[in-house]
Amino acid sequence: MINIAVFISGRGSNFLALLKNIEKGIIQNCRIAVVFSNNPSAKGLEYAVSAGIEIITIPSKNRSDRAEYDKEIINALAEYNIDLICLAGYMRIVTSELVEAYENRIINIHPALLPSFSGLHAQKQALDYGVKVSGCTVHFVDSGMDTGPVILQKTVPVYDNDTEDTLSARILEQEHIAYSEAVALYAAGKLQVSGRKVKILDK
Ligand code: GRF
């Protein structure tokens, strides 16, 4: 059984999808031990509380020393024996402090097909660029911005009449599926990282 910490900053729909899929047995061998947020008013924290999951909040407002901040996170997580950190709409850049403390044990979901459209407002970037296909990427986290090794990607079409909202909703549906698949593979020990490549074993 692996212990997961989910990091959120807002809505928390990816966290909720992971929780539901663990409860349904679609993701096996995992439990969400704690939900961490840098934003004490993150909506997703309410889901955690009602599911009886422990929460930790460390407000990041006015915290300019990112390394110090991440050291506090590491200390706060220590008692939970965390095997995997899932960033799920966590709107803060993680430093090498955290990345090194949890090497190859932090994953993120991004609402575009990386390496295209990294950073903020990925869906709007994709629309503005005029791509015909977009999607989402689950990747290991390194100390760059959305640059770590790709675990899996899902694609969606982009239509002429799409708005940022319609495209985001289409991608979000796939995010919930992709993140659960990636966590299930991780928990089953089926992800092998070698440099930039992630090999999915037994597939
Ligand atoms: C998702 O689109 C995720 O890809 C991005 O932030 C959004 C978070 O949504 N990193 P939610 O909080 O999981 O609902």
Side-chain angles (χ1 to χ4, degrees), residues 110-131 133-134 146:
H110 182 75
L113 297 174
L114 292 171
S116 292
F117 315 127
S118 61
L120 291 175
H121 309 298
Q123 302 93 331
K124 181 169 189 304
Q125 292 184 55
L127 270 184
D128 290 349
Y129 197 88
V131 293
V133 174
S134 190
D146 300 326

Side-chain angles (χ1 to χ4, degrees), residues 1-7 31-35 56 73-74 76-86 101-102 105-106 186:
M1 182 70 78
I2 72 161
N3 285 324
I4 297 178
V6 183
F7 283 26
R31 62 185 278 271
I32 298 178
V34 65
V35 173
I56 305 173
I73 298 179
I74 293 166
L77 289 185
E79 67 180 280
Y80 294 94
N81 252 320
I82 295 302
D83 300 292
L84 177 69
I85 295 176
C86 294
Y102 287 90
R105 293 190 295 150
I106 309 178
Y186 186 96

Side-chain angles (χ1 to χ4, degrees), residues 138 140 150-154 178 181-186 188-194 197-203:
V138 186
F140 281 103
V150 171
I151 299 169
L152 53 87
Q153 298 183 300
K154 300 270 181 205
E181 276 182 25
V183 170
L185 287 167
Y186 186 96
K190 289 188 176 172
L191 298 180
Q192 191 182 70
V193 189
S194 158
K197 306 275 172 66
V198 179
K199 192 167 170 190
I200 298 179
L201 305 172
D202 288 335
K203 250 203 142 187

Side-chain angles (χ1 to χ4, degrees), residues 8-16 87-91 108-112 123 136-137 168 171-172 175-176:
I8 63 170
S9 296
R11 186 175 55 183
S13 74
N14 277 288
F15 153 56
L16 201 56
L87 306 184
Y90 181 62
M91 303 303 284
N108 181 44
I109 180 117
H110 182 75
Q123 302 93 331
C136 62
T137 304
S168 298
I171 292 173
L172 192 65
E175 289 186 41
H176 295 163

